[in-house]
Amino acid sequence: MSLPRIAVDAMGGDEGVRVMIEGAALARRQHDRFNFLLVGDEERIKLALNEHPNLRSASEILHAPDVVSGEEKPTQALRRAKTTSMGMAIEAVKRGDAGAAVSAGNTGALMAMAKLALRTMPGIDRPALSALLPSLGENDLVMLDLGANTECDARNLVQFAIMGAAYSRIVTGRDAPRVRLLNIGTEEIKGTENLRLASAQLKAAAKDLSISFDGFVEADKLCRGDVDVVVSDGFSGNIALKAVEGTARFVADLLRRAFSNSLRSKFGFLVSKPATELLKHHLDPNNHNGAVFLGLNGVVVKSHGSASAVGVANAVAVTARLLEENLIERIAADLSRLGEENLRKAGGNGA
């Protein structure tokens, strides 16, 4: 049984058509139920498809005359949404011509276009950008918000927790994901008033929401494997994400340098190669590619601009899984269990 078509912005990302088409083709080889609407320059897409007959037979091309640049301001991009590959891919989701959209283009423009075209779900004030981070546990960590909302009140944080938990159930299979709020300490008196209000509300509603909530987590514990969902405002979340990514690159570079210092270290590298290859796989962002805009009336996934074909394929696989597991319906069901009255309480003085 085929899944709904996935609209791919074929022009987004650092390398554009080549990588996006190659990534979609790889995803198609791994999962033959995938079908695509490839949006962008028709001639360039047709040329790229010549090397991927498996994708060509499962795709339709939608010509888009324009492209959103990486430096373009969201307000500028919005004015050209109807003619750009990014805007037309999102519009296809709105019309029902595709079940979801994937783009590796300008994040701010993608968020602005998606929010304007698809609108937020009932009960959600703001969409949040969520991604999967590697952890020492059995499953990846769901983290949000990662930059869509620099300032958030308690109500926003509670909504993010609900959306993140729904996403985590799909990823981990846990009935009650372990949810925490990112804070500067684990004590109840730590953090901003909005964090404390959100914590109190989530503790009171944990049973209704089918989550395991025990307050706060600090940034140095993010990837220990003890938590399934970490919730933050977009400002703090983006800083934490960049710190994690930077540390991963630092460790990889440090190991590379250590193993190239001498003949003995090179021999040591050969002995430990299986372990270092596992580490490399775990830290490679392409293996965790695919950030999701949660809270919209449609599935929109952001692939990293520098992602390889493997990274794009992983973003497509994330998109397909969210469609298959009915993410939006799950979020709506969780929101209805909490109820609007409790959501209003969560806003407290910060609403």
Side-chain angles (χ1 to χ4, degrees), residues 10-34:
M11 313 305 291
D14 295 349
E15 294 192 53
V17 174
R18 184 189 69 79
V19 168
M20 297 305 293
I21 297 301
E22 187 177 339
L26 178 58
R28 172 69 183 176
R29 285 197 295 273
Q30 294 170 341
H31 305 278
D32 60 7
R33 295 176 300 126
F34 293 179

Short mmCIF file of all heavy atoms in Angstrom, two decimals, residues 10-34:
data_model
loop_
_atom_site.label_atom_id
_atom_site.label_comp_id
_atom_site.label_asym_id
_atom_site.label_seq_id
_atom_site.Cartn_x
_atom_site.Cartn_y
_atom_site.Cartn_z
N ALA A 10 12.91 20.40 -4.78
CA ALA A 10 14.12 19.88 -5.41
C ALA A 10 15.22 20.92 -5.55
O ALA A 10 16.36 20.57 -5.87
CB ALA A 10 13.78 19.31 -6.80
N MET A 11 14.92 22.18 -5.29
CA MET A 11 15.90 23.24 -5.49
C MET A 11 16.59 23.68 -4.20
O MET A 11 17.53 24.47 -4.22
CB MET A 11 15.22 24.47 -6.13
CG MET A 11 14.31 24.15 -7.31
SD MET A 11 15.13 23.22 -8.61
CE MET A 11 16.25 24.45 -9.24
N GLY A 12 16.10 23.20 -3.05
CA GLY A 12 16.64 23.65 -1.76
C GLY A 12 17.97 22.99 -1.43
O GLY A 12 18.37 21.99 -2.05
N GLY A 13 18.65 23.54 -0.44
CA GLY A 13 19.91 22.96 0.02
C GLY A 13 21.12 23.52 -0.68
O GLY A 13 21.01 24.24 -1.68
N ASP A 14 22.28 23.17 -0.18
CA ASP A 14 23.53 23.71 -0.71
C ASP A 14 23.80 23.25 -2.14
O ASP A 14 24.37 23.98 -2.94
CB ASP A 14 24.70 23.30 0.19
CG ASP A 14 24.61 23.91 1.57
OD1 ASP A 14 23.75 24.82 1.77
OD2 ASP A 14 25.38 23.51 2.46
N GLU A 15 23.42 22.01 -2.47
CA GLU A 15 23.69 21.48 -3.80
C GLU A 15 22.44 21.32 -4.66
O GLU A 15 22.53 20.93 -5.82
CB GLU A 15 24.42 20.14 -3.69
CG GLU A 15 25.81 20.25 -3.08
CD GLU A 15 26.59 18.97 -3.24
OE1 GLU A 15 26.71 18.46 -4.37
OE2 GLU A 15 27.08 18.46 -2.22
N GLY A 16 21.28 21.61 -4.10
CA GLY A 16 20.06 21.65 -4.89
C GLY A 16 19.67 20.34 -5.52
O GLY A 16 19.66 19.28 -4.88
N VAL A 17 19.37 20.39 -6.81
CA VAL A 17 18.71 19.29 -7.52
C VAL A 17 19.45 17.96 -7.39
O VAL A 17 18.82 16.93 -7.11
CB VAL A 17 18.54 19.64 -9.02
CG1 VAL A 17 17.98 18.45 -9.78
CG2 VAL A 17 17.61 20.84 -9.17
N ARG A 18 20.75 17.94 -7.58
CA ARG A 18 21.47 16.68 -7.60
C ARG A 18 21.27 15.89 -6.31
O ARG A 18 20.90 14.71 -6.35
CB ARG A 18 22.96 16.92 -7.84
CG ARG A 18 23.76 15.62 -7.97
CD ARG A 18 25.24 15.86 -7.98
NE ARG A 18 25.75 16.33 -6.69
CZ ARG A 18 25.99 15.53 -5.65
NH1 ARG A 18 25.75 14.23 -5.73
NH2 ARG A 18 26.48 16.02 -4.52
N VAL A 19 21.52 16.54 -5.18
CA VAL A 19 21.43 15.84 -3.90
C VAL A 19 19.99 15.52 -3.54
O VAL A 19 19.69 14.43 -3.03
CB VAL A 19 22.10 16.66 -2.78
CG1 VAL A 19 21.76 16.09 -1.40
CG2 VAL A 19 23.61 16.68 -2.96
N MET A 20 19.07 16.45 -3.79
CA MET A 20 17.67 16.21 -3.43
C MET A 20 17.09 15.04 -4.23
O MET A 20 16.38 14.19 -3.67
CB MET A 20 16.84 17.48 -3.66
CG MET A 20 17.24 18.66 -2.79
SD MET A 20 17.23 18.33 -1.01
CE MET A 20 15.47 18.08 -0.72
N ILE A 21 17.40 14.98 -5.52
CA ILE A 21 16.89 13.88 -6.35
C ILE A 21 17.57 12.57 -5.97
O ILE A 21 16.93 11.51 -5.86
CB ILE A 21 17.10 14.19 -7.85
CG1 ILE A 21 16.29 15.43 -8.25
CG2 ILE A 21 16.69 12.98 -8.69
CD1 ILE A 21 14.80 15.31 -8.02
N GLU A 22 18.89 12.62 -5.75
CA GLU A 22 19.60 11.41 -5.36
C GLU A 22 19.10 10.89 -4.02
O GLU A 22 18.95 9.67 -3.82
CB GLU A 22 21.10 11.71 -5.27
CG GLU A 22 21.97 10.48 -5.03
CD GLU A 22 23.45 10.80 -5.03
OE1 GLU A 22 23.83 11.85 -5.60
OE2 GLU A 22 24.21 10.01 -4.45
N GLY A 23 18.81 11.81 -3.08
CA GLY A 23 18.29 11.40 -1.79
C GLY A 23 16.91 10.79 -1.89
O GLY A 23 16.61 9.76 -1.24
N ALA A 24 16.04 11.40 -2.70
CA ALA A 24 14.70 10.85 -2.90
C ALA A 24 14.77 9.47 -3.55
O ALA A 24 14.00 8.56 -3.21
CB ALA A 24 13.86 11.80 -3.74
N ALA A 25 15.70 9.32 -4.50
CA ALA A 25 15.87 8.03 -5.17
C ALA A 25 16.34 6.96 -4.19
O ALA A 25 15.88 5.81 -4.23
CB ALA A 25 16.86 8.16 -6.32
N LEU A 26 17.25 7.33 -3.30
CA LEU A 26 17.73 6.39 -2.28
C LEU A 26 16.60 5.98 -1.35
O LEU A 26 16.45 4.80 -1.01
CB LEU A 26 18.86 7.04 -1.48
CG LEU A 26 19.46 6.22 -0.33
CD1 LEU A 26 19.99 4.89 -0.82
CD2 LEU A 26 20.57 7.01 0.36
N ALA A 27 15.79 6.96 -0.94
CA ALA A 27 14.64 6.65 -0.09
C ALA A 27 13.67 5.72 -0.80
O ALA A 27 13.12 4.79 -0.19
CB ALA A 27 13.93 7.94 0.31
N ARG A 28 13.47 5.93 -2.07
CA ARG A 28 12.57 5.10 -2.86
C ARG A 28 13.09 3.66 -2.96
O ARG A 28 12.32 2.69 -2.90
CB ARG A 28 12.40 5.70 -4.26
CG ARG A 28 11.64 4.84 -5.27
CD ARG A 28 10.19 4.68 -4.94
NE ARG A 28 9.55 3.80 -5.91
CZ ARG A 28 8.28 3.41 -5.85
NH1 ARG A 28 7.52 3.83 -4.88
NH2 ARG A 28 7.78 2.61 -6.75
N ARG A 29 14.41 3.51 -3.10
CA ARG A 29 14.99 2.16 -3.16
C ARG A 29 14.82 1.43 -1.83
O ARG A 29 14.64 0.21 -1.81
CB ARG A 29 16.48 2.24 -3.53
CG ARG A 29 16.74 2.55 -4.98
CD ARG A 29 18.17 2.21 -5.39
NE ARG A 29 19.14 3.04 -4.70
CZ ARG A 29 19.56 4.23 -5.13
NH1 ARG A 29 19.05 4.74 -6.25
NH2 ARG A 29 20.47 4.90 -4.46
N GLN A 30 14.86 2.17 -0.75
CA GLN A 30 14.72 1.57 0.58
C GLN A 30 13.27 1.27 0.92
O GLN A 30 12.98 0.33 1.67
CB GLN A 30 15.33 2.50 1.62
CG GLN A 30 16.84 2.67 1.48
CD GLN A 30 17.39 3.78 2.36
OE1 GLN A 30 16.65 4.66 2.81
NE2 GLN A 30 18.69 3.75 2.60
N HIS A 31 12.36 2.07 0.38
CA HIS A 31 10.93 1.92 0.69
C HIS A 31 10.13 2.14 -0.60
O HIS A 31 9.88 3.28 -1.00
CB HIS A 31 10.50 2.94 1.75
CG HIS A 31 11.32 2.89 3.00
ND1 HIS A 31 11.08 1.97 4.00
CD2 HIS A 31 12.37 3.63 3.41
CE1 HIS A 31 11.96 2.16 4.97
NE2 HIS A 31 12.75 3.16 4.65
N ASP A 32 9.72 1.08 -1.24
CA ASP A 32 9.09 1.21 -2.55
C ASP A 32 7.66 1.71 -2.49
O ASP A 32 7.00 1.85 -3.53
CB ASP A 32 9.16 -0.11 -3.33
CG ASP A 32 8.45 -1.26 -2.61
OD1 ASP A 32 7.78 -1.00 -1.58
OD2 ASP A 32 8.56 -2.41 -3.08
N ARG A 33 7.17 2.03 -1.28
CA ARG A 33 5.82 2.58 -1.16
C ARG A 33 5.81 4.10 -1.32
O ARG A 33 4.77 4.72 -1.35
CB ARG A 33 5.20 2.22 0.19
CG ARG A 33 4.98 0.74 0.40
CD ARG A 33 4.47 0.43 1.79
NE ARG A 33 5.40 0.86 2.81
CZ ARG A 33 5.08 1.66 3.83
NH1 ARG A 33 3.85 2.10 3.96
NH2 ARG A 33 5.98 2.00 4.72
N PHE A 34 7.02 4.71 -1.39
CA PHE A 34 7.10 6.17 -1.48
C PHE A 34 6.79 6.64 -2.89
O PHE A 34 7.27 6.08 -3.87
CB PHE A 34 8.51 6.65 -1.10
CG PHE A 34 8.87 6.43 0.34
CD1 PHE A 34 10.13 6.79 0.81
CD2 PHE A 34 7.99 5.86 1.24
CE1 PHE A 34 10.48 6.59 2.14
CE2 PHE A 34 8.33 5.65 2.57
CZ PHE A 34 9.59 6.02 3.01
#
